[in-house]
Amino acid sequence: MADQITDDLKKTPLHGLHVSLGAKMVPFAGYDMPVQFEGVKPEHLWTRTQAGLFDVSHMGPCFLTLAEGVSDKAEAHDKIAALIEELVPSAISTLKPGQARLSVLLNENAGILDDLIITRLPDEHQNGRLYIVVNGAVKEQDWALFEEKLKGRAVLQRADNGVLMALQGPKAAEVLESYFPGCEDLKFMRCMLAAWDGGECIVSRCGYTGEDGFEIMIPADAGHSLAVKLIEDERVKPIGLGARDSLRLEAGLCLYGHDMDETRNPVEADLQWVIQKSRRERADFPGAEIVLEALSNGPKEKRVGIRPLERAPAREGTEIHVKGEPVGVVTSGGFGPSVDGPVAMGYVRADLAEPGTPVELMVRGKPRAGEVAALPFVEHNYKR
Amino acid sequence: MTQHFTQQVTFYTEDHEWVTVHGDLATVGITKYAADQLGDVVFVETPEVGKTVKKGDEMAVVESVKAASDVYAPLSGEVIDANGELADAPEKVNEHPETEGWFCVIKFSDGAETKGLMDKDAYYEFCKGQA
């Protein structure tokens, strides 16, 4: 039975490499993925001080282009941007060539269906090509939604058969510069097109750790040879999903399906910053009425950082109480190696969202002292 | 029917705990194999002294960077001591799992229960089967 389950799991092009490096593998988003190599804590700390290489090929990179091209390439961008803006509340039309933006896919009730990064590629295209990366666990349903809503108007090309990897940490730029000259000069949320070992790549300065770093979309074979080269560098170590989770939690970054989902709108999730002013004024995205109401009157609940004041971690599902009354729930929690203590995120009643508010965390039935904390727990180290 | 062990003997459980018995007292902790599997231990909740436990009860919790895991009572009896040092130094469980990283001492009530435990060789074979 166990073998059967393993056989059903998909493998990324770097799977064999992980196994050969002694990774402990676990099922994640339908893939057999490395959860750790040498250990969560050392991998986490390495990424904060050196450079960590993450295989994120389970995610959902894709391209969205106009079904019918136009002769003016700037107009092509406006047209494809207008189409994706029907599904997301962020301003995509105003992206400059090579610029990326975090956004959220919303349903009619402003519930978050996914978070995604939308990039206007630096090379202009008559069909106005957008590069979009969605979460692995929900990529099939996201893409089905794109197909359904934009049928006949846009063409979706999935690109999840190659390698998507992230090189994160303060040494990432100096390491990657010798492979992709010029990448050191990119600013946060900007990308460039490049090539390695005969494969065309998209190199984006972004990530999910709070550190400076890059994500690289690259064909399978070239991606494998690049990963092998990178881990030969003494500044680079392979990092598993365990440290990826503790890094993003310390950085205050949401994990879809945990810190936000269809039951939360972007204002509750404290992601209102992804909705630019022009979109608020036009109010032309799914659930706009609900979002605008939450923006003007405040949400009922809000996502906040939670700091357990004792050493016991407060994990996902831990009830948050104030004076014995339930006021919220932890949605992500664990130990933060850089903080050297437990850290968590969760939702509390909006009137209790102020950092410093004392709370009780119901860990295994016992109240333990905690407080609402400002996010992130560890300062972001992005290249602005 | 208390069975007294005049000499110190160490047994092991299938949940990767070690149990060192001497007289009618049993000192309990998790094995090196378990500690290595858990990764960095960040918190240990030891049982309250005075608590009565039955063999198989959830008795303590060990939290690593990865997850929370239950520790079960290997024998029935009364908890008469707990390792208070783990509160401030949970890393002792990784560094010295089978000595300084002990969890608690149980005054056990039924020495016959030790019959279901493994000796060192049997536990070694058991771990090999898990790899």
Side-chain angles (χ1 to χ4, degrees):
Chain A
M1 257 326 255
D3 285 342
Q4 214 172 339
I5 293 165
T6 314
D7 286 348
D8 288 344
L9 290 173
K10 288 181 271 187
K11 291 173 178 165
T12 77
L14 303 183
H15 183 273
L17 182 61
H18 303 319
V19 172
S20 74
L21 292 167
K24 185 174 175 198
M25 306 297 287
V26 297
F28 185 78
Y31 286 78
D32 192 34
M33 296 294 286
V35 67
Q36 68 167 52
F37 292 85
E38 86 183 276
V40 175
K41 196 170 168 181
E43 290 170 33
H44 176 115
L45 296 172
W46 185 267
T47 305
R48 290 256 185 264
T49 52
Q50 303 281 327
L53 184 67
F54 301 73
D55 180 10
V56 288
S57 307
H58 65 287
M59 294 188 74
C62 67
F63 296 98
L64 198 66
T65 50
L66 290 171
E68 282 177 47
V70 291
S71 55
D72 183 321
K73 289 173 182 172
E75 187 193 337
H77 172 72
D78 289 344
K79 285 194 146 183
I80 194 70
L83 291 181
I84 195 72
E85 284 183 2
E86 291 178 17
L87 307 178
V88 304
S90 307
I92 305 305
S93 58
T94 53
L95 286 178
K96 296 183 175 64
Q99 188 183 4
R101 204 158 250 174
L102 175 73
S103 194
V104 284
L105 203 55
L106 298 179
N107 68 21
E108 291 305 321
N109 302 317
I112 303 173
L113 297 168
D114 198 4
D115 61 334
L116 66 176
I117 291 192
I118 303 172
T119 305
R120 178 180 184 177
L121 287 166
D123 64 333
E124 298 279 59
H125 201 277
Q126 290 188 328
N127 292 67
R129 216 155 60 117
L130 293 175
Y131 168 53
I132 301 174
V133 181
V134 302
N135 272 301
V138 288
K139 63 186 175 185
E140 299 298 338
Q141 64 209 58
D142 285 4
W143 288 337
L145 184 76
F146 290 176
E147 300 263 15
E148 179 205 327
K149 298 285 186 186
L150 306 177
K151 198 175 175 197
R153 299 185 289 161
V155 177
L156 174 78
Q157 184 200 343
R158 55 191 290 172
D160 62 337
N161 56 349
V163 169
L164 189 66
M165 63 174 115
L167 188 68
Q168 301 279 298
K171 300 273 174 75
E174 61 177 65
V175 170
L176 215 57
E177 178 68 16
S178 49
Y179 297 88
F180 302 113
C183 75
E184 240 176 348
D185 301 324
L186 289 172
K187 294 244 189 287
F188 182 60
M189 297 304 271
R190 298 283 172 153
C191 78
M192 62 186 265
L193 301 177
W196 164 261
D197 200 11
E200 288 179 26
C201 328
I202 302 172
V203 179
S204 307
R205 199 155 202 167
C206 63
Y208 192 47
T209 60
E211 294 302 319
D212 182 22
F214 300 83
E215 284 183 6
I216 306 148
M217 222 260 304
I218 179 167
D221 290 345
H224 188 275
S225 80
L226 178 62
V228 167
K229 274 290 192 196
L230 285 171
I231 54 174
E232 279 173 10
D233 191 306
E234 61 181 16
R235 295 163 292 183
V236 179
K237 281 187 181 181
I239 309 295
L241 292 172
R244 184 170 181 252
D245 194 54
S246 56
L247 287 158
R248 68 94 196 163
L249 176 57
E250 282 184 344
L253 302 172
C254 293
L255 175 60
Y256 187 73
H258 300 258
D259 307 308
M260 58 185 169
D261 57 27
E262 280 179 62
T263 68
R264 300 293 182 182
N265 68 51
V267 185
E268 289 174 300
D270 202 19
L271 293 173
Q272 60 278 358
W273 58 273
V274 308
I275 313 170
Q276 283 75 26
K277 190 162 164 254
S278 61
R279 299 302 311 275
R280 296 181 192 194
E281 285 167 3
R282 272 157 44 204
D284 58 351
F285 51 86
E289 215 170 289
I290 293 165
V291 168
L292 294 177
E293 195 274 335
L295 279 171
S296 52
N297 299 331
K300 289 186 182 63
E301 291 193 321
K302 206 176 149 198
R303 180 176 65 92
V304 294
I306 299 286
R307 189 76 191 262
L309 297 177
E310 299 172 35
R311 290 192 65 121
R315 307 228 179 230
E316 181 176 2
T318 301
E319 271 191 30
I320 303 170
H321 288 192
V322 168
K323 297 187 182 105
E325 293 292 313
V327 298
V329 66
V330 169
T331 52
S332 278
F335 183 82
S338 302
V339 170
D340 194 23
V343 288
M345 263 197 257
Y347 283 81
V348 294
R349 239 170 49 203
D351 59 306
L352 302 168
E354 199 58 38
T357 305
V359 296
E360 298 121 39
L361 302 166
M362 301 303 289
V363 178
R364 292 179 285 276
K366 270 184 263 175
R368 292 192 180 266
E371 64 179 29
V372 175
L375 291 174
F377 293 104
V378 171
E379 282 309 303
H380 291 161
N381 192 18
Y382 301 143
K383 196 189 170 195
R384 300 281 185 188
Chain B
M1 48 173 280
T2 300
Q3 178 181 342
H4 284 265
F5 289 81
T6 50
Q7 286 196 322
Q8 186 170 301
V9 189
T10 300
F11 297 102
Y12 299 85
T13 75
E14 294 190 356
D15 300 310
H16 301 284
E17 291 156 32
W18 56 266
V19 188
T20 297
V21 298
H22 186 247
D24 59 355
L25 301 182
T27 306
V28 182
I30 65 168
T31 63
K32 180 165 190 320
Y33 178 91
D36 289 348
Q37 289 289 310
L38 286 170
D40 291 289
V41 171
V42 297
F43 178 73
V44 179
E45 191 171 309
T46 51
E48 280 170 40
V49 173
K51 189 179 175 179
T52 303
V53 293
K54 271 211 329 247
K55 182 176 178 166
D57 281 355
E58 291 167 11
M59 172 184 79
V61 177
V62 54
E63 299 225 23
S64 75
V65 285
K66 283 183 258 176
S69 310
D70 289 314
V71 176
Y72 304 98
L75 298 170
S76 305
E78 184 192 345
V79 177
I80 60 155
D81 197 4
N83 188 352
E85 288 186 22
L86 296 183
D88 287 323
E91 64 276 6
K92 279 181 193 278
V93 177
N94 292 109
E95 290 164 1
H96 307 288
E98 304 192 15
T99 52
E100 287 175 36
W102 64 278
F103 279 36
C104 64
V105 178
I106 297 172
K107 183 172 183 179
F108 58 93
S109 51
D110 180 3
E113 285 181 348
T114 58
K115 299 253 186 311
L117 304 175
M118 289 177 273
D119 66 12
K120 192 166 190 154
D121 290 344
Y123 178 65
Y124 179 74
E125 288 302 314
F126 176 75
C127 287
K128 276 211 305 199
Q130 303 241 307

